Amino acid sequence: MVVCVCNAIRESDVRSCARGGCTTPCQAFRSLGRQPKCGQCTSVARAIINEERAAA
């Protein structure tokens, strides 16, 4: 699933960032070398990060 259309970031990318220690969508974007643009994806990215952190 595509999480961020503006930056072509997939769910798997966000999950990988969360497993790598990112705790916020902004950290995940930075670790991928991108910046949030419109911000519509941050709530979805945050939910994915929270899922991964809860599973760890």
Side-chain angles (χ1 to χ4, degrees):
M1 166 176 90
V2 174
V3 173
C4 177
V5 175
C6 298
N7 286 298
I9 296 174
R10 298 186 171 277
E11 178 181 353
S12 59
D13 298 326
V14 177
R15 290 192 184 280
S16 177
C17 290
R19 286 185 215 118
C22 294
T23 59
T24 66
C26 285
Q27 288 177 347
F29 278 97
R30 278 194 296 266
S31 73
L32 294 167
R34 300 183 181 119
Q35 294 184 53
K37 294 185 182 185
C38 73
Q40 299 241 336
C41 60
T42 55
S43 61
V44 175
R46 186 175 292 114
I48 293 168
I49 290 168
N50 290 341
E51 281 178 20
E52 285 297 319
R53 290 176 49 92

